[in-house]
Amino acid sequence: QVRLVESGGDSVQAGGSLKLSCTKSGRAFGECGMGWFRQFPGESREFVASAGDDGSTNYVDSTKGRFTISRDKDENTIYLQMNSLKVEDTATYVCAVVFRSYDGTCVRPDVYWGRGTQVTVYS
């Protein structure tokens, strides 16, 4: 059974930083890594970043240069360092197990999700 537990969400002023953590127990068949998604109120989840077992990383364009994903494989934990936060980054950040997409990138979620952690950025 796969279980994902996030932590680190908080309220922060625009321009500030936060670091999110997600620890996984268990392993899903065919998984290639772990990733972060975020959900805005009333909208579907969007991809933020992923870290593959092979050391690869992927980011959505809106976070490149501001967010950094890292992984501690021994601890089955990923981190999301978020710098220069903007009001529009306000969302629930959800950790997920990811799988290979059609183009080979390790970004596709399936059914393995955490409960999420709230990030609120105020001006």
Side-chain angles (χ1 to χ4, degrees), residues 17-52:
S17 299
L18 280 176
K19 187 173 184 178
L20 308 182
S21 302
C22 173
T23 299
K24 177 173 71 78
S25 58
R27 185 171 179 84
F29 179 77
E31 72 171 68
C32 64
M34 297 169 65
W36 288 100
F37 294 74
R38 62 186 179 184
Q39 187 162 20
F40 305 107
E43 299 184 19
S44 58
R45 291 169 182 164
E46 71 167 23
F47 173 78
V48 176
S50 67

Side-chain angles (χ1 to χ4, degrees), residues 58-102:
N58 294 278
Y59 295 92
V60 67
D61 285 347
S62 61
T63 67
K64 285 181 180 177
R66 299 190 299 124
F67 292 8
T68 302
I69 191 169
S70 59
R71 183 168 187 176
D72 183 334
K73 292 184 70 174
D74 292 338
E75 297 294 327
N76 278 329
T77 298
I78 59 169
Y79 305 94
L80 187 67
Q81 177 67 47
M82 306 187 292
N83 298 327
S84 301
L85 281 161
K86 304 176 182 180
V87 172
E88 51 264 41
D89 293 319
T90 296
T92 299
Y93 284 71
V94 188
C95 178
V97 173
V98 290
F99 300 81
R100 293 288 173 194
S101 183
Y102 68 95

